[in-house]
Amino acid sequence: MTSSWQSDLVAEADSWRARLGELGFGDDGHRLRGDLAWQHPVHGHVHARIEVELTDRFPFAAPAVRVLDPGTTMELTFHIDRPALPGLHGNLCLWDGSAHPVDAAPWREPQVLLDRVRNWLEQTAAGWPDDDVCDLERYLVPDAGAFVLYDADLLAGRVGLFKTAPGPTPRTIEVTGNRRPGVIAPRGRQQLHPKDRGLAWVDDLGEVSCPPREWTDLAQALGRADEVTRLIALGAVGYLLLRYSRNGHRAALAVAVQRGGPAPSITACESADTSLATRSIRAGDTAVELANVRIAVVGAGGLGSFAADILFRSGVRRLTLIDGERLRPGNVVRHLAGSNDAGKYKVTAVMDRLAATGFDVGEVERRNRDITRLGDAVELVKTHNVVLDATAHAGASSLLATAADIVGTGTGHTVISACVQREGDIIRADRFPLRRAEQHLPALTSEPVRAGVREAGCGEPVSRTPPAAVIAAAELACRMVIDEATHQCALPATMADVRRPQPDPPFDRLGLLTPDAVSVPVAL
């Protein structure tokens, strides 16, 4: 029995085929073929012959379109998939499928699809001006083997033979910055030394006007093709790392090569740049500014560990972690660290996780002791731009808030106190000291932790707060910390996210609360 949604898909596909047929396309029940008029920049008005196939992904993805005959002598270059069989053309890449939800997908209208194909042909004939998409891997046979890592900054401008090394995980290969000196040649009948096998040739293809599809294409672009061919034949070169550009956009193509036959065989490897610049792209617009800001996280438990991780990934490097406790196995459900870190001081466990990102932790300071004296709290506030209180301890929070008031408003030193209340029903962050005419939301009394929930060897009751609430609180805290650290000062003195309504106004409604959104009594 066919489901209603299946019937709807079949009906839409049938309607689509019928409408394309009305535009002059013949239908053999599987593919539709027809002529498409387009304007060549030299030959003028020409007619292409194209083939359209609705796949089982329609309408969530565009129909497959292939050019059977462009209507004039013309090489099909970019934005076309590798063909399944030699002598055929691959499917045209007409849209980025992720850019269009199905309810707004332009390919659901046949005429729009044909207009897109017409534009594709005209762009191809013109050489794809202004196109900067760098995806040369798609035009080669994919390699199911190594994932190639390289540091673009380390190899910038360098050409020649470089050593490779095993990457950090299985089936990863790293192209190192160490050049292989001298001449490689076998000695008599002896084979090459193992250290001279699987090396990488690094070169620059320059501006690419046509994607390479076989070895001869690459050889024409290499400055020392004969030498590279010789090294491949010897078994010395196993990989090519080829820089290239398209309309000023720089990229690299990693290729695995194998000797044999009249020419080496090549397959495209997935590859990635490990340079600091590339690894920092996703850190956000404030990363550069945060790099020189001093931030302390007091309390490296659940909330504090995730907040430290977020801040570090966001660009904070001058980070101080403060906590006197060790990590217990029971902590890891709500902690950044894992079971293998049990027994470490929490600050060390967090530090190790930060180091695992690959960024420099040289300016991260660990203090495996608690802040218990007001003088120490004042000194901490004075020596850091922002102090995040993630202790979930009323006494420690009061100590840090008092220290912030002593240091004073306008000094550029603030404390953000963040917590999860009522076992995850509310997450909250408050800034100290208050600025002129500011107020905090009223305090919410903490309900006692349910009796009977205890861990052996741990004196206090254990909260049943779920991990999602802890991570959400860390994100809320980091928003306020970054707002202060970058001097945007756009957020209110309190932000409270009510995740489950409470009987206590104003926390009796869902959503984000701020002092401006509720009536807060003025303290006399």
Side-chain angles (χ1 to χ4, degrees):
M1 181 176 179
T2 303
S3 301
S4 60
W5 64 266
Q6 292 173 312
S7 299
D8 291 343
L9 290 178
V10 171
E12 178 170 358
D14 289 343
S15 172
W16 195 94
R17 302 176 79 98
R19 285 181 288 153
L20 190 60
E22 293 171 359
L23 296 174
F25 278 68
D27 189 349
D28 64 5
H30 183 51
R31 299 180 180 88
L32 298 98
R33 295 182 178 91
D35 292 341
L36 179 68
W38 64 285
Q39 193 72 21
H40 190 279
V42 176
H43 302 137
H45 195 69
V46 296
H47 285 80
R49 184 75 174 169
I50 68 170
E51 178 180 81
V52 182
E53 180 182 356
L54 288 186
T55 70
D56 57 5
R57 299 175 60 197
F58 181 83
F60 296 92
V65 179
R66 292 174 286 275
V67 175
L68 303 178
D69 181 358
T72 185
T73 302
M74 182 177 75
E75 183 179 7
L76 305 187
T77 56
F78 295 101
H79 300 289
I80 182 170
D81 287 335
R82 185 177 58 85
L85 296 172
L88 300 178
H89 291 307
N91 297 329
L92 308 189
C93 304
L94 299 171
W95 284 284
D96 178 1
S98 64
H100 300 282
V102 67
D103 57 351
W107 52 79
R108 297 177 80 173
E109 175 52 55
Q111 185 60 63
V112 174
L113 176 77
L114 296 183
D115 290 341
R116 188 75 171 185
V117 176
R118 182 179 292 109
N119 177 261
W120 186 96
L121 288 164
E122 291 170 353
Q123 289 292 310
T124 298
W128 289 99
D130 303 323
D131 181 52
D132 61 359
V133 177
C134 294
D135 57 355
L136 294 188
E137 296 85 356
R138 73 179 307 152
Y139 306 101
L140 296 170
V141 176
D143 190 289
F147 186 95
V148 178
L149 303 175
Y150 64 94
D151 187 324
D153 291 342
L154 187 63
L155 296 171
R158 304 174 73 185
V159 173
L161 198 58
F162 288 81
K163 297 179 181 180
T164 59
T169 57
R171 307 192 78 179
T172 60
I173 296 293
E174 182 179 359
V175 179
T176 72
N178 299 321
R179 192 186 296 273
R180 168 56 173 88
V183 176
I184 295 181
R187 298 179 180 178
R189 293 184 179 181
Q190 294 181 357
Q191 296 183 346
L192 294 178
H193 192 282
K195 70 179 182 180
D196 287 333
R197 293 185 173 276
L199 304 176
W201 183 268
V202 178
D203 214 325
D204 200 321
L205 301 180
E207 183 74 14
V208 175
S209 59
C210 184
R213 291 183 170 85
E214 55 188 21
W215 168 250
T216 55
D217 298 330
L218 292 179
Q220 291 175 0
L222 292 173
R224 296 163 60 183
D226 291 343
E227 173 66 5
V228 178
T229 304
R230 184 187 73 85
L231 292 171
I232 294 173
L234 286 174
V237 168
Y239 301 94
L240 305 178
L241 182 63
L242 306 171
R243 296 181 296 265
Y244 68 95
S245 63
R246 293 202 63 211
N247 286 309
H249 190 83
R250 301 285 297 176
L253 169 68
V255 176
V257 294
Q258 288 187 336
R259 56 184 174 177
S265 63
I266 61 173
T267 51
C269 297
E270 189 174 357
S271 64
D273 176 18
T274 65
S275 68
L276 179 62
T278 294
R279 288 187 289 117
S280 301
I281 290 174
R282 297 169 179 83
D285 295 337
T286 58
V288 174
E289 189 174 358
L290 289 173
N292 294 314
V293 175
R294 290 187 60 86
I295 294 178
V297 177
V298 184
L303 195 162
S305 68
F306 285 108
D309 186 55
I310 293 170
L311 291 169
F312 188 72
R313 291 173 186 270
S314 299
V316 176
R317 294 293 175 265
R318 305 177 71 185
L319 187 63
T320 303
L321 305 173
I322 301 174
D323 196 312
E325 293 186 350
R326 294 180 184 269
L327 186 73
R328 304 172 65 87
N331 294 142
V332 301
V333 171
R334 294 195 308 237
H335 201 278
L336 177 69
S339 296
N340 291 339
D341 297 307
K344 296 179 181 178
Y345 281 103
K346 289 181 178 178
V347 292
T348 299
V350 173
M351 173 89 153
D352 290 346
R353 291 300 167 128
L354 301 186
T357 64
F359 293 107
D360 184 12
V361 293
E363 292 189 272
V364 178
E365 180 184 352
R366 295 169 294 170
R367 301 182 188 176
N368 56 329
R369 61 185 184 278
D370 296 325
I371 299 290
T372 58
R373 297 183 300 181
L374 182 58
D376 294 336
V378 170
E379 183 63 21
L380 182 70
V381 174
K382 284 183 176 180
T383 55
H384 291 79
N385 300 90
V386 185
V387 174
L388 172 59
D389 163 32
T391 60
H393 189 282
S397 296
S398 177
L399 191 70
L400 291 168
T402 301
D405 288 333
I406 291 173
V407 174
T409 305
T411 62
H413 301 275
T414 54
V415 170
I416 305 296
S417 183
C419 63
V420 181
Q421 295 184 301
R422 297 192 176 175
E423 298 193 333
D425 289 349
I426 295 176
I427 59 177
R428 173 171 177 158
D430 293 89
R431 172 174 40 78
F432 300 91
L434 290 170
R435 301 188 183 102
R436 186 175 182 181
E438 280 190 326
Q439 299 177 75
H440 291 124
L441 284 175
L444 182 66
T445 58
S446 297
E447 294 185 346
V449 177
R450 283 180 283 173
V453 184
R454 291 180 181 274
E455 178 187 349
C458 181
E460 297 181 357
V462 177
S463 167
R464 297 294 294 271
T465 299
V470 173
I471 296 172
E475 187 277 333
L476 182 68
C478 289
R479 284 176 59 190
M480 293 192 72
V481 170
I482 292 173
D483 181 67
E484 288 297 304
T486 57
H487 305 290
Q488 297 179 50
C489 303
L491 297 181
T494 301
M495 296 176 70
D497 186 4
V498 180
R499 301 160 68 85
R500 182 181 297 174
Q502 304 295 301
D504 321 62
F507 305 99
D508 54 351
R509 61 181 187 270
L510 286 172
L512 187 66
L513 297 181
T514 65
D516 294 337
V518 298
S519 177
V520 181
V522 178
L524 300 177

